Amino acid sequence: MADPDERPTDLPECPSMRGGGLLPEELRAWMVMLAAMGAVEQELRSVVKDRLDVSHDEFLILCLLAEQPASGLRMTRVAELLGRPKTRLTYQIACLQHAGLVTRKAVCGDKRGIEVALTDKARRLLRDASGTLATTVTRALTHVMGPDQREAMRGLMPELAGETEEA
């Protein structure tokens, strides 16, 4: 992997990284995070489609469920956490269920409640693709964040936390 402290010379620096403008530090940090999120999503789209054969939005659902107990989450909670309308989520869950990646079941004692969980197939796919996905995220962040911003993210990202200042 390329030196994480080197930025590609053909990419302009994110304007929010410079500071000195009208925005307070918190908003500048938020702008850097938006740029980083956009870069990661753009890089991940093709990798996710190639490795998991799901859309980016479906991938977000799988990632959210992967961090939950085996019992899963209620669909209303998934919609809330992802900021998605329930109607759109219902369609995406149906696609994932058709692909054999999630299960849906009624919540005991609640006629309208539906709980969604990953299948073993989905867990295997995510486990098998995790190295490629982590490398993709790291590469994307390297393109939009300078050394200071990556240093701030090191505690949140195991791949970046493993890099030391030895270089």
Side-chain angles (χ1 to χ4, degrees):
M1 188 162 93
D3 181 354
D5 290 332
E6 288 183 20
R7 287 181 37 81
T9 56
D10 61 335
L11 294 175
E13 182 180 272
C14 175
S16 296
M17 291 170 63
R18 289 192 293 266
L22 296 175
L23 297 177
E25 189 174 313
E26 293 82 2
L27 285 177
R28 283 197 312 274
W30 177 64
M31 293 300 294
V32 171
M33 287 182 60
L34 284 178
M37 288 172 40
V40 169
E41 285 183 8
Q42 186 174 354
E43 291 277 333
L44 275 178
R45 284 184 196 282
S46 62
V47 174
V48 164
K49 189 65 177 166
D50 182 53
R51 295 296 305 265
L52 303 174
D53 196 29
V54 297
S55 72
H56 181 72
D57 285 344
E58 292 165 351
F59 173 65
L60 294 178
I61 294 167
L62 294 177
C63 287
L64 181 61
L65 293 174
E67 293 298 309
Q68 303 305 313
S71 61
L73 282 176
R74 292 175 75 119
M75 287 203 25
T76 53
R77 184 66 176 146
V78 173
E80 178 183 284
L81 291 170
L82 293 177
R84 303 283 191 265
K86 291 179 201 172
T87 53
R88 182 173 171 196
L89 180 65
T90 299
Y91 172 77
Q92 292 167 334
I93 294 292
C95 291
L96 290 169
Q97 185 178 22
H98 180 73
L101 300 175
V102 300
T103 59
R104 284 194 286 197
K105 68 177 182 178
V107 175
C108 185
D110 185 351
K111 290 181 186 179
R112 295 177 20 190
I114 302 291
E115 195 168 73
V116 199
L118 289 183
T119 63
D120 289 339
K121 176 183 176 181
R123 291 183 189 286
R124 276 192 311 276
L125 279 172
L126 287 169
R127 194 172 23 257
D128 293 347
S130 65
T132 302
L133 295 169
T135 299
T136 302
V137 169
T138 300
R139 183 177 60 239
L141 290 177
T142 299
H143 286 291
V144 296
M145 295 181 133
D148 293 339
Q149 288 77 25
R150 280 196 311 280
E151 182 64 34
M153 297 277 299
R154 287 185 199 273
L156 300 175
M157 300 191 60
E159 180 70 20
L160 291 176
E163 297 172 3
T164 61
E165 310 306 323
E166 299 168 3

